[in-house]
Amino acid sequence: MDNIIFIVVAAVVGLAIGFAIAKMMEKGKASKTIANAKKEAADIIKEAKKEGEGIKKDKIFQAKEKFLELKAEHEKVINNKDKKIGEAEKRTRDKESQVSSELAKNKKLNDQYQQKIKEVEYKSEILDKKQAEVEKLHKSQVQQLEVISGLSAEDAKAQLLESLKETAKSDAMAYLQNTLEEAKLTAQQEARKIVVNTIQRIGTEEAVENCVSVFNLESDDVKGRIIGREGRNIRALESATGVEIIVDDTPEAIILSCFDSVRREVARLSLHRLVTDGRIHPARIEEVVKKTEKQINEEIAEIGKRTVIDLGIHGLHPELIKAVGRMKYRSSYGQNLLQHSREVAKLCGVMAAELGLNPKIAKRAGLLHDIGKVPMAEVEVETPHAILGMQWAQKYGEKEEVCNAIGAHHDEIEMTTLISPIVQVCDAISGARPGARRQVLDSYIQRLKDLEDIAFGFHGVQKAYAIQAGRELRVIVESEKVNDDKAAELSFEISQKIQTDMTYPGQVKVTVIRETRSVNVAK
């Protein structure tokens, strides 16, 4: 028990001694820490003062440099101002010197002017005196003349004026006559010069169109597929296009014959599509022909647009643009109508410019002068093409001078503007080129059109095509309106009508085609 108490007391005493020692060690450590802190603070303050002195010196140095820089700039500005002031003073001195010189010069001129005035006044006095003497002498001479002639001055003046009038009138008439004769000769020479220059400037190649086109084939094997079984394909193609298709011994070629170039182009493009596609049968042929006709119509509109853009013509009605495009597939005496109209437009523009007229109006009239040859419908009308073209131009808002030029270029109506004779002359120039036209072709085409028109005059006729150079007329009738017996009767009546109303070489074969189709669609 005593040991335990001793141990406890010893532990307590040990703890107290340890605590006292710890306190003493902590106090010594704190004192040492405080001393180190004070020393560090003193070092920091010393370093801060040192840095402060350095910054102060830098700032003072920068301030001095800034001051010197501002001082230099200020001195530069002052020097510039002094220089400008010096230059201004110099200019002022120069101006003062110049003004002094001008004043001296003006004073000298003023003195000379005063001297001249005095001289003029002196001469004026002398002239007045001489004028008075002359008038006095003139009056005395007039009085003497009146006494000698027995006429007063007024009577003599009247006789003199009358004599001068007669002489002047006679001279004027002679001069006028000579001027008119010279003007006539000069006008003829100038007109010839303008026409020749215009023809030389618009020299274009001319080619007469024919009535056949050649369709080239890759091999002769395709010919059999185009003809079809028992010729049904070629008959369907001829029926759909109205073009005679000649398949002969010509290697790798088929001839398309038709007076209408639109039909020939439709047939050619349709054949190309059919041969390329490979499917050739009657139903496919009709489908391709319809698509090709639609494509040709779109191409006609595009051709019209390109033509008016090339000629610099603006504001043309869309229907007239289509009519211009259709000219590509029409010909006049074998001359392509679009090429002819373009040439006439250019000729009119050049000639109008030479004569001081509006070349744009002249070009417009030249391009549209033959639109009456491009009928809006298939049935030919009896109105002359010039009058028909003028009516269309009026309908679609063309100016009066353009309409008059169109209607008067074949003297159907009276010419009222200067553009009209220009269009007439240019039309003759274009058509008169060697090789430009072929008279036989026009009568041939007219005969073929007359054949088709006779067929259209009968009831139930749907389509009519003159083929084989007018030696055969194929007529397609509507099966609902014409039966088999009526078809035979119709063929006879058409042949009699042709025989009675037309004059033609050889004979004309009339073939009436009646076909019934039943078509249904499986869905």
Side-chain angles (χ1 to χ4, degrees), residues 224-291:
R225 295 170 57 195
I226 293 175
I227 296 172
R229 182 179 298 174
E230 298 178 356
R232 64 173 187 171
N233 290 344
I234 197 169
R235 285 198 303 272
L237 191 57
E238 289 180 344
S239 174
T241 60
V243 175
E244 181 183 4
I245 301 175
I246 302 173
V247 182
D248 52 16
D249 295 335
T250 305
E252 299 180 357
I254 291 177
I255 298 175
L256 308 177
S257 175
C258 180
F259 71 93
D260 191 334
S261 54
V262 177
R263 296 182 192 171
R264 287 206 315 274
E265 185 66 12
V266 169
R268 187 185 68 81
L269 292 177
S270 300
L271 263 177
H272 177 72
R273 288 185 174 183
L274 289 168
V275 171
T276 304
D277 182 58
R279 293 176 294 169
I280 306 177
H281 52 82
R284 177 64 178 167
I285 288 172
E286 289 190 359
E287 180 185 351
V288 169
V289 168
K290 288 181 180 179
K291 289 182 178 179

Side-chain angles (χ1 to χ4, degrees), residues 95-106:
K95 288 290 183 182
E96 289 176 353
S97 175
Q98 186 178 358
V99 168
S100 299
S101 176
E102 291 292 334
L103 288 174
K105 188 177 180 180
N106 288 336

Side-chain angles (χ1 to χ4, degrees), residues 176-188:
L176 181 61
Q177 187 68 24
N178 293 334
T179 304
L180 286 174
E181 293 296 330
E182 184 179 356
K184 289 180 180 179
L185 294 175
T186 306
Q188 292 177 358

